Amino acid sequence: MPSPLRIAIASSECAPFAKTGGLADVAAALAKALWARGHDVRLFVPYYQRIDDGGWPTQDGLAPFDLEFPGRSYRAETRTTPLPHSPGGGGNEGPLQVEFLNIPDLYARKELYTEDDDEPIRWAAFSRGVLEACQMSSWAPDIIHINDWHTGLLPLLMKTQYAWDELFQGTRTLLSIHNLGYQGVFPASSIQAMGLGDARGQFHQERLEDGIVNFLETGIIHASWLSTVSETYAREIQTKEFGMGLEGLLAQREDHLIGIVNGVDYSEWSPDVDPHIPSQFGPADMKGKRECRDRLLEEMNLAPNPSGPVIGIVSRMTGQKGFELLPDILPVFLKSADIRLIVLGSGDPASERYFQWLRDSLPERVGVYFGYKNELSHRIEAGSDMFLMPSRYEPCGLNQMYSLRYGTVPVVRATGGLADTVQRWDPERREGTGFVFYEFTPEALHDTLRHALDVWQDQEAWGQIQHAGMLQDFSWHAQVLRYEDLYAAMLAEF
Ligand code: ADP
Ligand code: GLC
C-alpha cells in the first residue's frame, strides 16, 4: 500500500446526485475506490437544483466566500453529504463526504448543462471554486484530477491566477477525457469575461484567431497528464477519424497520455445485490433471471414468453451511439423472429421518432420509455438476453460491462472500450463473452445480429457465453491501482 495521497477530484456529474451519463458513475466509483485505499480524497461537484429537489440532506461546509469576475462577484459556499456506499478503508473511517460547490446564481438551474450566455462562467467558476476551497482549508492536493471540458481551465488557472499560491507548488493535474465529442467551445470574448485576459497568450492561438476558445483543448495543453477511459480510445483519439480536430495536439502529448478502462461499481451493478430488480440471481443460480425477464416484459406491456431473445438498449440518443444503423435492420428481425426490443433513453428527435414508430408498428414486441429512469435501466440489464451497443465511437461504455455481469450478452461494435471489454464469441473454440462487429455499416450489424440469433438456438452455447461474461471482473479494485500508479508517476516527474 503506497503512502496516502491528497487527491481532489472535480467532476460535473456524480451518481446518484447528478447524472446524465457514465461520467457520473465513474467519478463516484473512482472516488470511493481511492477512499477505500486510504487516500485523502475530496470530491467536488456543483450544487445543482436537482440535488436540492432530490431531497438529499446536506450540511454546511466551508463558510461563504466570493468569487470575483470582471464586473460581477459570485457568493460561493460548500455543502457536504455522504457519498452512498463509501465505507472507507485503509485508515479512512466512515463515508466519503461529497463537497458540493454552491453558487445559486450559477448552478441552481433545471439542467446540468445549459446554453445560457454565462455557461463559460459557470465552468470557470467551478474550477476556481475547487482551487479556493483547497486554499480556504489550507489543503495542498498532490493531485487534482479533472474530468472532461467542464474543468478544462483548471490547469491554466493554476498557472496564472493561482500561480502565486505556494499551496499548489507540488500539485499535479490529471485531465481524464471521457468524451471528445464535447469540448466546451465558446466565443473568444469569454476569456475577458472570465477574467483571463492576461492569460490570452496561453490559449491556443489559432483558435483565438478563429474567434473561439476551447475548454477541453486548453486542458489538453496545460494539464500535467492526460488519461482517457480505455486503451483503444487512447489510440483512436490520436487519429483523424476519432480525434475531432484535436488529434494533432493529442499525438503531441502522446508520452503523457494513457488509457485506463473504467471499472464497474459492483455494489450498484450486480444481480446478486441489486435492490431494483424483482429477483436476484448469479452465475450459480440463474432462475431469478427468468423472473426478471418475465416481469420486464409485463412492465413494458409486451407479449410474454417469446421463443427468441429480449434485446435491451439503455442509452443517450446521440450520433455517438450508432442508432442510425438500426432503421433498416430492426424491423426485419422483429418481424421474422419472435423477439422483443426494449429501449430506454432520450436525446435526438430523429432517434426518438424512429423508436416511437417502431413501437407503434409492433406494439406487442417493442417497448420504449423516453426519459431517464435509473431503476428501469437496472431491470433492463437484468431482464434482457442481449444488449445492443452499435456505437460509432465509445470512449469506454459502461452498459456492456453491466450487461456482462447480468448474463445479458452484449452485441457491440469494436470501438474504444467496447473493443477492450467484450471478447468476440468464437464458435470453434467456444470462447468469448459477446458478439462483435467491426465496420460501421448496417450490413456488418445485420450479419452479427443474425449470427447471435443463430447461436441463441443453441442454448447450451448461449449459457456458456453468459457464464463467461458473468465471471469477468471489471471491478474498481484493479483499476484503482492503475490510477495510483499513474499518480505516483506524475509526482515522480518533479
Ligand atoms: P455515456 O456516458 O456515453 O452515456 P456509458 O455507457 O458510459 O455512456 O454510461 C451511460 C450510463 O447512463 C449508464 O449507467 C446507463 O445505465 C445510464 N443511462 C443512460 N441513459 C439512461 C436513461 N435514459 N435512464 C437511466 N439510465 C441511463
Ligand atoms: C462518456 C463516454 C462513455 C464513458 C463515460 C464514462 O460519456 O461516452 O463511453 O463510458 O464517459 O467514462
mmCIF file with all atom_site columns, all heavy atoms in Angstrom, residues 279-299:
data_model
loop_
_atom_site.group_PDB
_atom_site.id
_atom_site.type_symbol
_atom_site.label_atom_id
_atom_site.label_alt_id
_atom_site.label_comp_id
_atom_site.label_asym_id
_atom_site.label_entity_id
_atom_site.label_seq_id
_atom_site.pdbx_PDB_ins_code
_atom_site.Cartn_x
_atom_site.Cartn_y
_atom_site.Cartn_z
_atom_site.occupancy
_atom_site.B_iso_or_equiv
_atom_site.pdbx_formal_charge
_atom_site.auth_seq_id
_atom_site.auth_comp_id
_atom_site.auth_asym_id
_atom_site.auth_atom_id
_atom_site.pdbx_PDB_model_num
ATOM 1   N N   . SER A 1 279 ? -35.968 -10.149 -8.841  1.00 0.00 ? 279 SER A N   1
ATOM 2   C CA  . SER A 1 279 ? -35.445 -11.378 -8.258  1.00 0.00 ? 279 SER A CA  1
ATOM 3   C C   . SER A 1 279 ? -33.939 -11.408 -8.476  1.00 0.00 ? 279 SER A C   1
ATOM 4   O O   . SER A 1 279 ? -33.464 -11.213 -9.598  1.00 0.00 ? 279 SER A O   1
ATOM 5   C CB  . SER A 1 279 ? -36.124 -12.566 -8.953  1.00 0.00 ? 279 SER A CB  1
ATOM 6   O OG  . SER A 1 279 ? -35.619 -13.755 -8.431  1.00 0.00 ? 279 SER A OG  1
ATOM 7   N N   . GLN A 1 280 ? -33.211 -11.627 -7.386  1.00 0.00 ? 280 GLN A N   1
ATOM 8   C CA  . GLN A 1 280 ? -31.755 -11.590 -7.533  1.00 0.00 ? 280 GLN A CA  1
ATOM 9   C C   . GLN A 1 280 ? -31.245 -12.927 -8.052  1.00 0.00 ? 280 GLN A C   1
ATOM 10  O O   . GLN A 1 280 ? -31.893 -13.957 -7.890  1.00 0.00 ? 280 GLN A O   1
ATOM 11  C CB  . GLN A 1 280 ? -31.129 -11.197 -6.193  1.00 0.00 ? 280 GLN A CB  1
ATOM 12  C CG  . GLN A 1 280 ? -31.570 -9.771  -5.848  1.00 0.00 ? 280 GLN A CG  1
ATOM 13  C CD  . GLN A 1 280 ? -31.096 -9.280  -4.504  1.00 0.00 ? 280 GLN A CD  1
ATOM 14  O OE1 . GLN A 1 280 ? -30.751 -10.052 -3.640  1.00 0.00 ? 280 GLN A OE1 1
ATOM 15  N NE2 . GLN A 1 280 ? -31.108 -7.971  -4.332  1.00 0.00 ? 280 GLN A NE2 1
ATOM 16  N N   . PHE A 1 281 ? -30.095 -12.903 -8.684  1.00 0.00 ? 281 PHE A N   1
ATOM 17  C CA  . PHE A 1 281 ? -29.536 -14.140 -9.242  1.00 0.00 ? 281 PHE A CA  1
ATOM 18  C C   . PHE A 1 281 ? -28.033 -13.984 -9.410  1.00 0.00 ? 281 PHE A C   1
ATOM 19  O O   . PHE A 1 281 ? -27.470 -12.907 -9.168  1.00 0.00 ? 281 PHE A O   1
ATOM 20  C CB  . PHE A 1 281 ? -30.208 -14.479 -10.580 1.00 0.00 ? 281 PHE A CB  1
ATOM 21  C CG  . PHE A 1 281 ? -30.022 -13.433 -11.666 1.00 0.00 ? 281 PHE A CG  1
ATOM 22  C CD1 . PHE A 1 281 ? -28.985 -13.527 -12.579 1.00 0.00 ? 281 PHE A CD1 1
ATOM 23  C CD2 . PHE A 1 281 ? -30.900 -12.347 -11.777 1.00 0.00 ? 281 PHE A CD2 1
ATOM 24  C CE1 . PHE A 1 281 ? -28.825 -12.569 -13.583 1.00 0.00 ? 281 PHE A CE1 1
ATOM 25  C CE2 . PHE A 1 281 ? -30.742 -11.391 -12.781 1.00 0.00 ? 281 PHE A CE2 1
ATOM 26  C CZ  . PHE A 1 281 ? -29.699 -11.500 -13.681 1.00 0.00 ? 281 PHE A CZ  1
ATOM 27  N N   . GLY A 1 282 ? -27.388 -15.073 -9.813  1.00 0.00 ? 282 GLY A N   1
ATOM 28  C CA  . GLY A 1 282 ? -25.934 -15.052 -10.018 1.00 0.00 ? 282 GLY A CA  1
ATOM 29  C C   . GLY A 1 282 ? -25.561 -16.221 -10.894 1.00 0.00 ? 282 GLY A C   1
ATOM 30  O O   . GLY A 1 282 ? -26.423 -17.022 -11.277 1.00 0.00 ? 282 GLY A O   1
ATOM 31  N N   . PRO A 1 283 ? -24.282 -16.349 -11.222 1.00 0.00 ? 283 PRO A N   1
ATOM 32  C CA  . PRO A 1 283 ? -23.877 -17.396 -12.178 1.00 0.00 ? 283 PRO A CA  1
ATOM 33  C C   . PRO A 1 283 ? -24.224 -18.806 -11.718 1.00 0.00 ? 283 PRO A C   1
ATOM 34  O O   . PRO A 1 283 ? -24.479 -19.688 -12.550 1.00 0.00 ? 283 PRO A O   1
ATOM 35  C CB  . PRO A 1 283 ? -22.351 -17.222 -12.288 1.00 0.00 ? 283 PRO A CB  1
ATOM 36  C CG  . PRO A 1 283 ? -21.943 -16.276 -11.225 1.00 0.00 ? 283 PRO A CG  1
ATOM 37  C CD  . PRO A 1 283 ? -23.153 -15.531 -10.764 1.00 0.00 ? 283 PRO A CD  1
ATOM 38  N N   . ALA A 1 284 ? -24.284 -19.031 -10.407 1.00 0.00 ? 284 ALA A N   1
ATOM 39  C CA  . ALA A 1 284 ? -24.557 -20.393 -9.929  1.00 0.00 ? 284 ALA A CA  1
ATOM 40  C C   . ALA A 1 284 ? -26.053 -20.707 -9.941  1.00 0.00 ? 284 ALA A C   1
ATOM 41  O O   . ALA A 1 284 ? -26.453 -21.868 -9.904  1.00 0.00 ? 284 ALA A O   1
ATOM 42  C CB  . ALA A 1 284 ? -24.004 -20.562 -8.518  1.00 0.00 ? 284 ALA A CB  1
ATOM 43  N N   . ASP A 1 285 ? -26.874 -19.691 -9.988  1.00 0.00 ? 285 ASP A N   1
ATOM 44  C CA  . ASP A 1 285 ? -28.317 -19.923 -9.976  1.00 0.00 ? 285 ASP A CA  1
ATOM 45  C C   . ASP A 1 285 ? -29.017 -18.837 -10.782 1.00 0.00 ? 285 ASP A C   1
ATOM 46  O O   . ASP A 1 285 ? -29.200 -17.708 -10.321 1.00 0.00 ? 285 ASP A O   1
ATOM 47  C CB  . ASP A 1 285 ? -28.825 -19.928 -8.525  1.00 0.00 ? 285 ASP A CB  1
ATOM 48  C CG  . ASP A 1 285 ? -30.324 -20.221 -8.476  1.00 0.00 ? 285 ASP A CG  1
ATOM 49  O OD1 . ASP A 1 285 ? -30.919 -20.453 -9.557  1.00 0.00 ? 285 ASP A OD1 1
ATOM 50  O OD2 . ASP A 1 285 ? -30.885 -20.219 -7.367  1.00 0.00 ? 285 ASP A OD2 1
ATOM 51  N N   . MET A 1 286 ? -29.425 -19.224 -11.996 1.00 0.00 ? 286 MET A N   1
ATOM 52  C CA  . MET A 1 286 ? -29.947 -18.245 -12.942 1.00 0.00 ? 286 MET A CA  1
ATOM 53  C C   . MET A 1 286 ? -31.477 -18.165 -12.930 1.00 0.00 ? 286 MET A C   1
ATOM 54  O O   . MET A 1 286 ? -32.056 -17.469 -13.761 1.00 0.00 ? 286 MET A O   1
ATOM 55  C CB  . MET A 1 286 ? -29.444 -18.574 -14.355 1.00 0.00 ? 286 MET A CB  1
ATOM 56  C CG  . MET A 1 286 ? -27.945 -18.442 -14.528 1.00 0.00 ? 286 MET A CG  1
ATOM 57  S SD  . MET A 1 286 ? -27.436 -16.704 -14.543 1.00 0.00 ? 286 MET A SD  1
ATOM 58  C CE  . MET A 1 286 ? -27.804 -16.275 -16.254 1.00 0.00 ? 286 MET A CE  1
ATOM 59  N N   . LYS A 1 287 ? -32.114 -18.861 -11.996 1.00 0.00 ? 287 LYS A N   1
ATOM 60  C CA  . LYS A 1 287 ? -33.591 -18.866 -12.012 1.00 0.00 ? 287 LYS A CA  1
ATOM 61  C C   . LYS A 1 287 ? -34.162 -17.446 -11.952 1.00 0.00 ? 287 LYS A C   1
ATOM 62  O O   . LYS A 1 287 ? -35.115 -17.110 -12.616 1.00 0.00 ? 287 LYS A O   1
ATOM 63  C CB  . LYS A 1 287 ? -34.125 -19.690 -10.832 1.00 0.00 ? 287 LYS A CB  1
ATOM 64  C CG  . LYS A 1 287 ? -34.154 -21.177 -11.103 1.00 0.00 ? 287 LYS A CG  1
ATOM 65  C CD  . LYS A 1 287 ? -35.050 -21.924 -10.123 1.00 0.00 ? 287 LYS A CD  1
ATOM 66  C CE  . LYS A 1 287 ? -34.664 -21.730 -8.664  1.00 0.00 ? 287 LYS A CE  1
ATOM 67  N NZ  . LYS A 1 287 ? -33.360 -22.335 -8.297  1.00 0.00 ? 287 LYS A NZ  1
ATOM 68  N N   . GLY A 1 288 ? -33.529 -16.623 -11.130 1.00 0.00 ? 288 GLY A N   1
ATOM 69  C CA  . GLY A 1 288 ? -34.017 -15.256 -10.949 1.00 0.00 ? 288 GLY A CA  1
ATOM 70  C C   . GLY A 1 288 ? -34.023 -14.452 -12.239 1.00 0.00 ? 288 GLY A C   1
ATOM 71  O O   . GLY A 1 288 ? -34.831 -13.539 -12.417 1.00 0.00 ? 288 GLY A O   1
ATOM 72  N N   . LYS A 1 289 ? -33.121 -14.790 -13.148 1.00 0.00 ? 289 LYS A N   1
ATOM 73  C CA  . LYS A 1 289 ? -33.065 -14.022 -14.404 1.00 0.00 ? 289 LYS A CA  1
ATOM 74  C C   . LYS A 1 289 ? -34.340 -14.234 -15.219 1.00 0.00 ? 289 LYS A C   1
ATOM 75  O O   . LYS A 1 289 ? -34.846 -13.307 -15.837 1.00 0.00 ? 289 LYS A O   1
ATOM 76  C CB  . LYS A 1 289 ? -31.826 -14.396 -15.221 1.00 0.00 ? 289 LYS A CB  1
ATOM 77  C CG  . LYS A 1 289 ? -31.669 -13.535 -16.478 1.00 0.00 ? 289 LYS A CG  1
ATOM 78  C CD  . LYS A 1 289 ? -30.262 -13.478 -17.009 1.00 0.00 ? 289 LYS A CD  1
ATOM 79  C CE  . LYS A 1 289 ? -30.180 -12.666 -18.300 1.00 0.00 ? 289 LYS A CE  1
ATOM 80  N NZ  . LYS A 1 289 ? -30.165 -11.220 -18.104 1.00 0.00 ? 289 LYS A NZ  1
ATOM 81  N N   . ARG A 1 290 ? -34.826 -15.447 -15.189 1.00 0.00 ? 290 ARG A N   1
ATOM 82  C CA  . ARG A 1 290 ? -36.069 -15.767 -15.899 1.00 0.00 ? 290 ARG A CA  1
ATOM 83  C C   . ARG A 1 290 ? -37.216 -14.896 -15.351 1.00 0.00 ? 290 ARG A C   1
ATOM 84  O O   . ARG A 1 290 ? -38.011 -14.319 -16.087 1.00 0.00 ? 290 ARG A O   1
ATOM 85  C CB  . ARG A 1 290 ? -36.343 -17.270 -15.695 1.00 0.00 ? 290 ARG A CB  1
ATOM 86  C CG  . ARG A 1 290 ? -37.576 -17.799 -16.326 1.00 0.00 ? 290 ARG A CG  1
ATOM 87  C CD  . ARG A 1 290 ? -37.354 -18.006 -17.800 1.00 0.00 ? 290 ARG A CD  1
ATOM 88  N NE  . ARG A 1 290 ? -38.597 -17.726 -18.507 1.00 0.00 ? 290 ARG A NE  1
ATOM 89  C CZ  . ARG A 1 290 ? -38.805 -18.028 -19.768 1.00 0.00 ? 290 ARG A CZ  1
ATOM 90  N NH1 . ARG A 1 290 ? -37.856 -18.559 -20.501 1.00 0.00 ? 290 ARG A NH1 1
ATOM 91  N NH2 . ARG A 1 290 ? -39.961 -17.748 -20.334 1.00 0.00 ? 290 ARG A NH2 1
ATOM 92  N N   . GLU A 1 291 ? -37.253 -14.810 -14.035 1.00 0.00 ? 291 GLU A N   1
ATOM 93  C CA  . GLU A 1 291 ? -38.281 -13.998 -13.365 1.00 0.00 ? 291 GLU A CA  1
ATOM 94  C C   . GLU A 1 291 ? -38.124 -12.519 -13.764 1.00 0.00 ? 291 GLU A C   1
ATOM 95  O O   . GLU A 1 291 ? -39.107 -11.834 -14.060 1.00 0.00 ? 291 GLU A O   1
ATOM 96  C CB  . GLU A 1 291 ? -38.118 -14.185 -11.839 1.00 0.00 ? 291 GLU A CB  1
ATOM 97  C CG  . GLU A 1 291 ? -38.836 -13.189 -10.961 1.00 0.00 ? 291 GLU A CG  1
ATOM 98  C CD  . GLU A 1 291 ? -40.275 -13.573 -10.692 1.00 0.00 ? 291 GLU A CD  1
ATOM 99  O OE1 . GLU A 1 291 ? -40.657 -14.688 -11.109 1.00 0.00 ? 291 GLU A OE1 1
ATOM 100 O OE2 . GLU A 1 291 ? -41.013 -12.752 -10.091 1.00 0.00 ? 291 GLU A OE2 1
ATOM 101 N N   . CYS A 1 292 ? -36.893 -12.045 -13.805 1.00 0.00 ? 292 CYS A N   1
ATOM 102 C CA  . CYS A 1 292 ? -36.653 -10.643 -14.191 1.00 0.00 ? 292 CYS A CA  1
ATOM 103 C C   . CYS A 1 292 ? -37.142 -10.390 -15.616 1.00 0.00 ? 292 CYS A C   1
ATOM 104 O O   . CYS A 1 292 ? -37.705 -9.341  -15.923 1.00 0.00 ? 292 CYS A O   1
ATOM 105 C CB  . CYS A 1 292 ? -35.157 -10.313 -14.102 1.00 0.00 ? 292 CYS A CB  1
ATOM 106 S SG  . CYS A 1 292 ? -34.545 -10.250 -12.413 1.00 0.00 ? 292 CYS A SG  1
ATOM 107 N N   . ARG A 1 293 ? -36.907 -11.382 -16.474 1.00 0.00 ? 293 ARG A N   1
ATOM 108 C CA  . ARG A 1 293 ? -37.322 -11.259 -17.878 1.00 0.00 ? 293 ARG A CA  1
ATOM 109 C C   . ARG A 1 293 ? -38.843 -11.192 -17.976 1.00 0.00 ? 293 ARG A C   1
ATOM 110 O O   . ARG A 1 293 ? -39.403 -10.303 -18.634 1.00 0.00 ? 293 ARG A O   1
ATOM 111 C CB  . ARG A 1 293 ? -36.783 -12.473 -18.633 1.00 0.00 ? 293 ARG A CB  1
ATOM 112 C CG  . ARG A 1 293 ? -36.993 -12.479 -20.127 1.00 0.00 ? 293 ARG A CG  1
ATOM 113 C CD  . ARG A 1 293 ? -36.503 -13.844 -20.621 1.00 0.00 ? 293 ARG A CD  1
ATOM 114 N NE  . ARG A 1 293 ? -36.222 -13.890 -22.038 1.00 0.00 ? 293 ARG A NE  1
ATOM 115 C CZ  . ARG A 1 293 ? -36.964 -14.566 -22.911 1.00 0.00 ? 293 ARG A CZ  1
ATOM 116 N NH1 . ARG A 1 293 ? -38.058 -15.197 -22.506 1.00 0.00 ? 293 ARG A NH1 1
ATOM 117 N NH2 . ARG A 1 293 ? -36.629 -14.596 -24.178 1.00 0.00 ? 293 ARG A NH2 1
ATOM 118 N N   . ASP A 1 294 ? -39.519 -12.124 -17.302 1.00 0.00 ? 294 ASP A N   1
ATOM 119 C CA  . ASP A 1 294 ? -40.988 -12.143 -17.363 1.00 0.00 ? 294 ASP A CA  1
ATOM 120 C C   . ASP A 1 294 ? -41.576 -10.824 -16.864 1.00 0.00 ? 294 ASP A C   1
ATOM 121 O O   . ASP A 1 294 ? -42.477 -10.253 -17.469 1.00 0.00 ? 294 ASP A O   1
ATOM 122 C CB  . ASP A 1 294 ? -41.550 -13.291 -16.501 1.00 0.00 ? 294 ASP A CB  1
ATOM 123 C CG  . ASP A 1 294 ? -41.192 -14.657 -17.078 1.00 0.00 ? 294 ASP A CG  1
ATOM 124 O OD1 . ASP A 1 294 ? -40.782 -14.715 -18.254 1.00 0.00 ? 294 ASP A OD1 1
ATOM 125 O OD2 . ASP A 1 294 ? -41.307 -15.654 -16.338 1.00 0.00 ? 294 ASP A OD2 1
ATOM 126 N N   . ARG A 1 295 ? -41.034 -10.357 -15.753 1.00 0.00 ? 295 ARG A N   1
ATOM 127 C CA  . ARG A 1 295 ? -41.588 -9.138  -15.146 1.00 0.00 ? 295 ARG A CA  1
ATOM 128 C C   . ARG A 1 295 ? -41.294 -7.902  -15.993 1.00 0.00 ? 295 ARG A C   1
ATOM 129 O O   . ARG A 1 295 ? -42.089 -6.961  -16.048 1.00 0.00 ? 295 ARG A O   1
ATOM 130 C CB  . ARG A 1 295 ? -41.032 -8.973  -13.730 1.00 0.00 ? 295 ARG A CB  1
ATOM 131 C CG  . ARG A 1 295 ? -41.427 -10.118 -12.797 1.00 0.00 ? 295 ARG A CG  1
ATOM 132 C CD  . ARG A 1 295 ? -42.804 -9.903  -12.168 1.00 0.00 ? 295 ARG A CD  1
ATOM 133 N NE  . ARG A 1 295 ? -42.770 -8.746  -11.280 1.00 0.00 ? 295 ARG A NE  1
ATOM 134 C CZ  . ARG A 1 295 ? -42.341 -8.775  -10.033 1.00 0.00 ? 295 ARG A CZ  1
ATOM 135 N NH1 . ARG A 1 295 ? -41.919 -9.922  -9.525  1.00 0.00 ? 295 ARG A NH1 1
ATOM 136 N NH2 . ARG A 1 295 ? -42.331 -7.690  -9.298  1.00 0.00 ? 295 ARG A NH2 1
ATOM 137 N N   . LEU A 1 296 ? -40.136 -7.913  -16.652 1.00 0.00 ? 296 LEU A N   1
ATOM 138 C CA  . LEU A 1 296 ? -39.785 -6.773  -17.508 1.00 0.00 ? 296 LEU A CA  1
ATOM 139 C C   . LEU A 1 296 ? -40.760 -6.686  -18.689 1.00 0.00 ? 296 LEU A C   1
ATOM 140 O O   . LEU A 1 296 ? -41.254 -5.602  -19.033 1.00 0.00 ? 296 LEU A O   1
ATOM 141 C CB  . LEU A 1 296 ? -38.340 -6.921  -18.008 1.00 0.00 ? 296 LEU A CB  1
ATOM 142 C CG  . LEU A 1 296 ? -37.835 -5.853  -18.971 1.00 0.00 ? 296 LEU A CG  1
ATOM 143 C CD1 . LEU A 1 296 ? -37.755 -4.475  -18.291 1.00 0.00 ? 296 LEU A CD1 1
ATOM 144 C CD2 . LEU A 1 296 ? -36.443 -6.227  -19.523 1.00 0.00 ? 296 LEU A CD2 1
ATOM 145 N N   . LEU A 1 297 ? -41.050 -7.835  -19.277 1.00 0.00 ? 297 LEU A N   1
ATOM 146 C CA  . LEU A 1 297 ? -41.994 -7.840  -20.407 1.00 0.00 ? 297 LEU A CA  1
ATOM 147 C C   . LEU A 1 297 ? -43.359 -7.345  -19.950 1.00 0.00 ? 297 LEU A C   1
ATOM 148 O O   . LEU A 1 297 ? -44.025 -6.573  -20.650 1.00 0.00 ? 297 LEU A O   1
ATOM 149 C CB  . LEU A 1 297 ? -42.099 -9.247  -21.006 1.00 0.00 ? 297 LEU A CB  1
ATOM 150 C CG  . LEU A 1 297 ? -40.818 -9.772  -21.674 1.00 0.00 ? 297 LEU A CG  1
ATOM 151 C CD1 . LEU A 1 297 ? -40.976 -11.229 -22.103 1.00 0.00 ? 297 LEU A CD1 1
ATOM 152 C CD2 . LEU A 1 297 ? -40.456 -8.919  -22.900 1.00 0.00 ? 297 LEU A CD2 1
ATOM 153 N N   . GLU A 1 298 ? -43.740 -7.764  -18.762 1.00 0.00 ? 298 GLU A N   1
ATOM 154 C CA  . GLU A 1 298 ? -45.019 -7.333  -18.182 1.00 0.00 ? 298 GLU A CA  1
ATOM 155 C C   . GLU A 1 298 ? -45.009 -5.812  -17.976 1.00 0.00 ? 298 GLU A C   1
ATOM 156 O O   . GLU A 1 298 ? -45.941 -5.111  -18.370 1.00 0.00 ? 298 GLU A O   1
ATOM 157 C CB  . GLU A 1 298 ? -45.127 -8.014  -16.821 1.00 0.00 ? 298 GLU A CB  1
ATOM 158 C CG  . GLU A 1 298 ? -46.487 -8.446  -16.373 1.00 0.00 ? 298 GLU A CG  1
ATOM 159 C CD  . GLU A 1 298 ? -46.313 -9.219  -15.062 1.00 0.00 ? 298 GLU A CD  1
ATOM 160 O OE1 . GLU A 1 298 ? -46.024 -10.428 -15.143 1.00 0.00 ? 298 GLU A OE1 1
ATOM 161 O OE2 . GLU A 1 298 ? -46.415 -8.588  -13.975 1.00 0.00 ? 298 GLU A OE2 1
ATOM 162 N N   . GLU A 1 299 ? -43.930 -5.329  -17.368 1.00 0.00 ? 299 GLU A N   1
ATOM 163 C CA  . GLU A 1 299 ? -43.814 -3.887  -17.076 1.00 0.00 ? 299 GLU A CA  1
ATOM 164 C C   . GLU A 1 299 ? -43.897 -3.050  -18.352 1.00 0.00 ? 299 GLU A C   1
ATOM 165 O O   . GLU A 1 299 ? -44.469 -1.962  -18.359 1.00 0.00 ? 299 GLU A O   1
ATOM 166 C CB  . GLU A 1 299 ? -42.465 -3.613  -16.367 1.00 0.00 ? 299 GLU A CB  1
ATOM 167 C CG  . GLU A 1 299 ? -42.201 -2.141  -16.073 1.00 0.00 ? 299 GLU A CG  1
ATOM 168 C CD  . GLU A 1 299 ? -40.912 -1.903  -15.276 1.00 0.00 ? 299 GLU A CD  1
ATOM 169 O OE1 . GLU A 1 299 ? -40.217 -2.876  -14.906 1.00 0.00 ? 299 GLU A OE1 1
ATOM 170 O OE2 . GLU A 1 299 ? -40.594 -0.719  -15.040 1.00 0.00 ? 299 GLU A OE2 1
#
